[in-house]
């Protein structure tokens, strides 16, 4: 069966510090991968998605970047965090011809202070 | 761009039926899906509609009308554990891989 791992669960970082969040998927090959951010009580904002190694589509952020160095690994990074980067970060992989069904990791609660 | 609209809150009593509506605007529409999220947890997939009509999965059903850019999630025989946030999401863009979520509907189930 497929599983998705995301870590850490909680992270507190000072403004201006770097960020690296990692997500890995097991039990499937060539998954479509996603990074979302969720503010408290709000919807999910699509940040990046990837349909293959080295293929990254960026939706929103100016301060964040994503990389996919291996088939089942998706990394979210920042060189210098801003206060506005705080939020709940969720990694997901998509099942189906058009990723009709997304499976989410357990999320990382990031607080930038 | 894409936009989705759904009510911010819905309240219903245990055992009742509730319908959560979703209207969307997007280009390259592939389908509409629904997710449930409990406080502090990650979203979990409930249902997907790629074609017009009704899809039924146990107590949950979902409907899509592509011509109206409209869909809904129907929850029957409500239970207290159904209290959660419900999100509609559209698959769009090249290949349909771009999945955009609505702001979510908070469902409160009362005894």
């Amino acid at each position: 069966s497929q599983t998705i791992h995301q870590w850490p669960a909680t992270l507190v970082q000072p403004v201006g510090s770097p960020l690296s969040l990692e997500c890995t998927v097991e039990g499937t090959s060539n998954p479509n991968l996603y990074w979302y951010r969720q503010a408290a009580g709000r919807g999910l904002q699509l940040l990046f998605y990837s349909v293959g190694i080295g293929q990254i589509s960026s939706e929103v952020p100016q301060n964040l970047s994503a990389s996919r160095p291996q088939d089942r690994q998706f990394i979210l990074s920042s060189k210098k965090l801003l206060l506005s980067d705080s939020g709940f970060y969720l990694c997901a992989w998509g099942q189906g011809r058009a990723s009709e069904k997304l499976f989410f990791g357990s999320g990382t609660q990031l607080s930038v202070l | 761009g894409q936009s989705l609209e759904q009510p911010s809150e819905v309240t219903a009593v245990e055992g009742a039926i509730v319908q959560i509506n979703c209207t969307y605007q997007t280009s390259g529409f592939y389908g509409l899906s629904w997710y449930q999220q409990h406080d502090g947890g990650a979203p979990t997939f409930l249902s997907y509609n790629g074609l017009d009509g009704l899809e039924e999965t146990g107590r949950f059903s979902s409907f899509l009308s592509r011509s109206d850019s409209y869909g809904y999630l129907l929850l029957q025989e409500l239970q207290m554990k159904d209290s959660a946030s419900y999100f509609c999401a559209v698959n769009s863009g090249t290949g349909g891989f771009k999945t955009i979520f609505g702001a979510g509907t908070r469902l409160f189930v009362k005894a």
Side-chain angles (χ1 to χ4, degrees):
Chain A
S1 63
Q2 302 90 357
T3 56
I4 180 168
H5 302 279
Q6 185 183 346
W7 66 93
T10 306
L11 191 60
V12 180
Q13 292 285 102
V15 170
S17 64
L19 173 73
S20 181
L21 300 180
E22 187 167 342
C23 172
T24 59
V25 180
E26 296 178 356
T28 187
S29 59
N30 196 29
N32 298 324
L33 297 173
Y34 300 79
W35 279 112
Y36 288 89
R37 178 171 62 199
Q38 186 176 33
R42 306 289 295 276
L44 283 73
Q45 179 188 30
L46 178 62
L47 301 176
F48 301 94
Y49 65 100
S50 170
V51 298
I53 296 175
Q55 301 178 57
I56 309 292
S57 295
S58 175
E59 286 300 300
V60 176
Q62 294 81 28
N63 191 45
L64 299 171
S65 61
S67 62
R68 184 170 178 173
Q70 299 180 46
D71 181 44
R72 290 171 288 177
Q73 184 185 30
F74 206 22
I75 298 172
L76 182 70
S77 304
S78 174
K79 293 182 179 179
K80 289 185 178 182
L81 284 169
L82 306 173
L83 288 174
S84 57
D85 292 323
S86 294
F88 190 44
Y89 287 81
L90 290 154
C91 178
W93 74 274
Q95 181 184 67
R97 188 177 62 84
S99 288
E100 302 92 80
K101 185 174 183 178
L102 295 183
F103 294 91
F104 285 85
S106 53
T108 297
Q109 185 64 53
L110 172 66
S111 297
V112 183
L113 305 176
Chain B
Q2 296 87 14
S3 67
L4 297 94
E5 289 193 17
Q6 53 182 127
S8 58
E9 284 187 11
V10 174
T11 300
V13 297
E14 208 172 6
I17 299 173
V18 71
Q19 178 173 313
I20 300 174
N21 298 320
C22 175
T23 58
Y24 60 87
Q25 288 187 329
T26 186
S27 57
F29 176 84
Y30 274 76
L32 184 73
S33 50
W34 291 90
Y35 291 81
Q36 178 193 62
Q37 185 182 30
H38 287 98
D39 287 346
T44 56
F45 173 84
L46 292 177
S47 186
Y48 175 81
N49 294 73
L51 302 173
D52 286 0
L54 193 68
E55 293 285 339
E56 297 180 80
T57 309
R59 294 187 297 115
F60 295 170
S61 302
S62 59
F63 172 83
L64 174 66
S65 169
R66 295 172 72 111
S67 60
D68 295 323
S69 297
Y70 163 76
Y72 66 73
L73 178 69
L74 193 72
L75 295 85
Q76 303 182 72
E77 300 173 17
L78 281 174
Q79 303 174 10
M80 297 298 288
K81 68 178 182 179
D82 297 329
S83 292
S85 293
Y86 292 83
F87 296 90
C88 58
V90 292
N91 289 70
S92 64
T94 303
F97 304 120
K98 184 174 173 179
T99 307
I100 302 296
F101 281 72
T105 298
R106 182 80 180 195
L107 172 64
F108 297 94
V109 180
K110 296 185 173 181

